[in-house]
């Protein structure tokens, strides 16, 4: 039954060897990371955005995720839970690669599937994953890490706007680098909350001081006799306060030294009018005869 001289076994049939683990295609892995949306795995098309952890997305995919979050599975919802609004992502300012072509090649022509659509504006390196790339959170410009190291500056190499060291975010980093970016993201959010609280407190104090100033300007300044010291609208001089005017109304005409006796007798407050039996004509009494 075999091995009688009629068969020739090979080494693989006689010796059991350990199977080697399958290796991932590096080019395909880089293409999936740098040319596909991290959320829906669709080709990256402008406008392209990036989160604070360095992942690349299509802006339409992010909007769809925010509007219909229940449509995505639980794993993706947990993985991208740090994106709660469009303010949590930044639209990227990318530089086109002049050597890139989207035309399909036929026959035996060689097509470089890892060629990127975008390059670094300083060094000219392709953003294909073979070189490390970063973007600046304050302006959204994308440059290579080599450009930031070789040309050290606090001004963006592409747009010329100033930025801080914490604003530099590495694209598609490894797990350890993503953990560092997560800490930076939390500190950036806390700083933003503190700035909003300080701004709100400043606005409230300004409104309170303005209200106090307005109320103090409406109150008249009175002297020891109760006369207002504020100027009247008609010109200058002192004007009487409201309490002064009320006291003047309560005074009787009988105490006016400038009025004559005949004039005072016309009013019912006159002593003669009080003792008079007949109705006085000034009172307009219908019983007047």
């Amino acid at each position: 039954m075999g091995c009688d001289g009629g068969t020739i076994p090979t080494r693989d049939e006689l010796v059991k060897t350990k199977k080697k683990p399958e290796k991932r295609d590096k080019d395909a892995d880089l293409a999936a990371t740098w040319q596909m949306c991290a959320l829906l795995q669709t080709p990256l098309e402008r406008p392209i955005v990036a989160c604070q952890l360095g992942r690349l997305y299509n802006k339409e995919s992010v909007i769809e995720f925010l509007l219909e979050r229940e449509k995505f599975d639980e794993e993706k919802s947990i993985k991208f839970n740090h994106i709660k609004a469009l303010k949590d992502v930044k639209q990227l300012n990318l530089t086109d690669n002049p050597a890139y072509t989207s035309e399909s090649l036929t026959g035996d022509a060689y097509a470089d599937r890892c060629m990127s659509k975008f390059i670094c504006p300083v060094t000219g390196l392709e953003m294909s994953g073979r070189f490390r790339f970063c973007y600046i959170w304050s302006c959204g410009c994308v440059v290579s890490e080599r450009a930031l190291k070789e040309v050290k500056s606090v001004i963006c190499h592409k747009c010329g706007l100033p930025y801080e060291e914490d604003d530099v975010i590495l694209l598609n980093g490894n797990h350890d680098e993503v953990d560092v970016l997560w800490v930076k993201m939390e500190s950036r959010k806390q700083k933003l909350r503190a700035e909003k609280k300080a701004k709100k407190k400043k606005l409230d104090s300004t409104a309170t001081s303005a209200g106090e100033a307005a109320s103090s300007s409406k109150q008249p300044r009175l002297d020891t006799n109760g006369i207002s010291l504020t100027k009247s609208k008609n010109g200058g001089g002192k004007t009487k306060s409201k309490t002064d005017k009320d006291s003047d109304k309560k005074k009787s005409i009988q105490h006016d030294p400038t009025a004559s006796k005949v004039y005072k007798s016309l009013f019912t407050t006159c002593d003669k009018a009080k003792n008079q039996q007949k109705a006085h004509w000034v009172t307009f009494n219908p019983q007047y005869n």
Side-chain angles (χ1 to χ4, degrees):
M1 299 296 293
C3 294
D4 55 355
T7 59
I8 303 174
T10 61
R11 184 176 183 277
D12 293 338
E13 295 174 349
L14 297 177
V15 180
K16 293 183 178 180
T17 57
K18 186 178 180 180
K19 291 184 179 180
K20 295 181 180 180
E22 294 182 1
K23 292 183 179 180
R24 297 176 63 177
D25 188 354
K26 188 176 180 180
D27 292 339
D29 193 13
L30 291 177
T33 306
W34 290 88
Q35 298 181 14
M36 297 292 179
C37 172
L39 193 60
L40 295 181
Q41 293 302 314
T42 54
L44 287 173
E45 298 291 342
R46 278 195 169 103
I48 300 172
V49 297
C51 64
Q52 299 185 55
L53 300 182
R55 299 190 184 104
L56 299 173
Y57 313 88
N58 287 324
K59 192 173 183 180
E60 294 180 358
S61 303
V62 175
I63 295 174
E64 183 180 353
F65 174 73
L66 294 174
L67 294 178
E68 301 178 358
R69 192 182 293 264
E70 65 278 356
K71 190 173 75 173
F72 295 82
D73 55 14
E74 186 178 356
E75 184 180 354
K76 282 190 176 181
S77 299
I78 295 173
K79 185 178 180 181
F80 303 104
N81 191 35
H82 61 284
I83 303 176
K84 301 185 186 316
L86 281 178
K87 64 181 180 180
D88 295 327
V89 296
K90 193 74 175 182
Q91 185 166 332
L92 300 181
N93 185 10
L94 297 160
T95 304
D96 292 326
N97 184 7
Y100 177 80
T101 176
S102 59
E103 297 179 358
S104 60
L105 300 177
T106 58
D108 296 334
Y110 171 74
D112 188 0
R113 302 301 178 186
C114 293
M115 180 179 289
S116 175
K117 300 179 182 179
F118 313 107
I119 60 173
C120 172
V122 181
T123 59
L125 298 175
E126 290 186 1
M127 198 178 79
S128 59
R130 295 171 182 170
F131 306 96
R132 292 161 67 89
F133 270 73
C134 307
Y135 81 95
I136 301 172
W137 176 256
S138 56
C139 60
C141 295
V142 179
V143 293
S144 63
E145 189 181 46
R146 183 184 298 181
L148 294 178
K149 289 181 178 180
E150 291 181 355
V151 187
K152 294 184 178 180
S153 175
V154 294
I155 298 176
C156 178
H157 303 321
K158 184 175 176 63
C159 65
L161 295 177
Y163 68 91
E164 298 179 359
E165 186 177 355
D166 290 340
D167 291 337
V168 179
I169 299 175
L170 182 66
L171 291 173
N172 292 325
N174 54 35
H175 293 288
D176 296 335
E177 291 166 342
V178 169
D179 292 339
V180 175
L181 292 175
W182 188 280
V183 175
K184 287 185 178 181
M185 179 182 67
E186 293 297 331
S187 63
R188 196 179 293 113
K189 288 182 179 180
Q190 291 178 2
K191 184 179 178 181
L192 185 61
R193 292 192 202 102
E195 289 177 355
K196 285 185 178 180
K197 287 183 180 179
K199 187 176 180 181
K200 185 178 180 181
K201 188 176 180 181
K202 185 178 180 181
L203 291 174
D204 293 342
S205 61
T206 304
T208 305
S209 59
E212 290 177 354
S215 61
S216 61
S217 63
K218 291 180 181 180
Q219 293 179 356
R221 296 172 57 193
L222 305 177
D223 60 2
T224 55
N225 298 325
I227 300 175
S228 174
L229 299 178
T230 56
K231 291 184 178 180
S232 63
K233 295 181 181 179
N234 298 330
K238 297 180 180 179
T239 57
K240 291 185 178 181
S241 64
K242 187 177 180 181
T243 55
D244 247 357
K245 293 179 180 179
D246 293 340
S247 62
D248 288 347
K249 289 181 181 179
K250 292 180 181 179
K251 288 182 180 180
S252 175
I253 195 65
Q254 304 299 327
H255 300 288
D256 188 1
T258 60
S260 62
K261 293 182 179 180
V262 177
Y263 181 72
K264 292 178 181 180
S265 65
L266 297 176
F267 297 92
T268 56
T269 55
C270 178
D271 294 336
K272 292 182 179 181
K274 290 179 181 179
N275 300 328
Q276 188 177 5
Q277 298 296 329
K278 295 181 180 180
H280 198 275
W281 64 274
V282 180
T283 60
F284 298 97
N285 193 330
Q287 297 179 355
Y288 174 73
N289 48 11

